[in-house]
Amino acid sequence: MNQTLTRLRTPVESGFAQAGNIFALLISVARKTFVRPFQWREFIEQSWFIASVSILPASLVAIPFGAVVALQTGSLIKQLGAESFTGATSVLATVQQAAPVVTALIIAGAAGSAVAADLGSRTIREEIDAMEVLGIDPVQRLVVPRVLGMMLVALLLNGLVSVVGICGGYFFNVMLQGGTPGAYLASFSALAQLPDLWIGEIKALLFGLLAGVIAAYKGLNPKGGPKGVGDAVNQSVVITFLVLFFVNLVLTLVYLQIVPAKGS
């Protein structure tokens, strides 16, 4: 019995310890963002790298994602006899939910894994220890530019995914389901409001922050040499996915309670 409790307690304690360490790194990143000198060159290079590995996959994923949302909502609304609201439901679902989720998946899967692998390889080569010996703060020098770069790219990528998803949904709804372009656009303008765009951008910004911090933490703490770097990359992606979906749920609940629907 005692051995069973010990086996169950160990992973729980490890999980809480990792959560505390990730939160501590998040606070450290927030503080050292304002420490001078800011690493502008590293920030620009990392932003460009993150954008280069994220733009194409995000665009390719956004097209079928928007199409699925449009086709599913169009079919359901047609059964309810409210075809004139197809544009509003598909566009709002894309802007509020689909675009931030796609952005989170791409940022965590492509950019986050790359950041974790880069920092993990630096750690096992003892470059991080050498920087600390030289009096260089690795968080301020390496982590802060990468986290801010992921936040910036996530913010911009969310807009791109929203546009591509809406265009894909419009095309499939009009071409395959026989919807009218005028009704599609009119229903969107009648029911949509500016906070719908804000919540999508806020979600993308927070997703980029969390994905960057988790990837950086796993990259700075690999275990077991080169194999540990691969394990850290996999763990960073899985943990980020779990955290992002939970944060998305919380933000959606808060938004729906604070911002009333248009016309209500």
Side-chain angles (χ1 to χ4, degrees):
M1 185 67 179
N2 292 334
Q3 293 180 352
T4 303
L5 292 176
T6 302
R7 286 197 299 268
L8 293 175
R9 186 175 58 188
T10 301
V12 174
E13 292 177 348
S14 176
F16 279 109
Q18 285 198 40
N21 293 333
I22 292 173
F23 182 76
L25 180 60
L26 175 62
I27 299 299
S28 180
V29 168
R31 286 193 306 106
K32 293 174 182 178
T33 299
F34 304 99
V35 174
R36 297 297 178 264
F38 183 76
Q39 305 299 323
W40 285 106
R41 181 173 181 178
E42 186 78 12
F43 169 70
I44 294 173
E45 290 179 351
Q46 291 301 317
S47 298
W48 175 253
F49 169 74
I50 293 169
S52 65
V53 300
S54 303
I55 289 178
L56 182 59
S59 301
L60 295 177
V61 171
I63 295 175
F65 215 103
V68 168
V69 172
L71 294 174
Q72 187 65 47
T73 55
S75 176
L76 179 61
I77 288 179
K78 188 175 182 179
Q79 296 177 31
L80 299 175
E83 293 90 339
S84 59
F85 294 100
T86 301
T89 54
S90 61
V91 172
L92 290 178
T94 300
V95 172
Q96 290 186 17
Q97 302 296 330
V101 169
V102 169
T103 300
L105 296 178
I106 298 300
I107 288 293
S113 60
V115 169
D118 177 44
L119 294 178
S121 62
R122 291 172 182 263
T123 301
I124 65 172
R125 291 199 303 264
E126 299 182 348
E127 292 182 19
I128 304 299
D129 295 336
M131 292 177 66
E132 293 176 344
V133 170
L134 294 173
I136 302 174
D137 187 352
V139 174
Q140 193 263 340
R141 179 65 178 81
L142 298 176
V143 176
V144 169
R146 285 164 170 78
V147 172
L148 294 182
M150 293 182 73
M151 293 174 64
L152 175 63
V153 173
L155 194 65
L156 300 176
L157 198 64
N158 182 70
L160 174 64
V161 173
S162 298
V163 172
V164 175
I166 291 172
C167 292
Y170 174 85
F171 174 82
F172 280 92
N173 177 258
V174 173
M175 295 298 177
L176 298 182
Q177 293 186 313
T180 58
Y184 191 95
L185 298 177
S187 64
F188 167 58
S189 60
L191 296 180
Q193 52 187 339
L194 191 57
D196 297 327
L197 179 61
W198 291 349
I199 186 61
E201 293 294 312
I202 291 172
K203 285 181 179 181
L205 195 67
L206 289 178
F207 292 165
L209 172 63
L210 294 174
V213 171
I214 293 173
Y217 170 76
K218 284 297 182 180
L220 293 174
N221 298 277
K223 299 179 181 179
K227 181 180 180 301
V229 175
D231 294 338
V233 171
N234 295 333
Q235 292 172 10
S236 70
V237 174
V238 173
I239 293 174
T240 303
F241 283 179
L242 295 175
V243 172
L244 294 185
F245 281 113
F246 177 76
V247 172
N248 181 54
L249 171 63
V250 173
L251 290 176
T252 301
L253 291 175
V254 172
Y255 174 76
L256 295 177
Q257 293 297 322
I258 293 178
V259 180
K262 190 174 181 180
S264 62

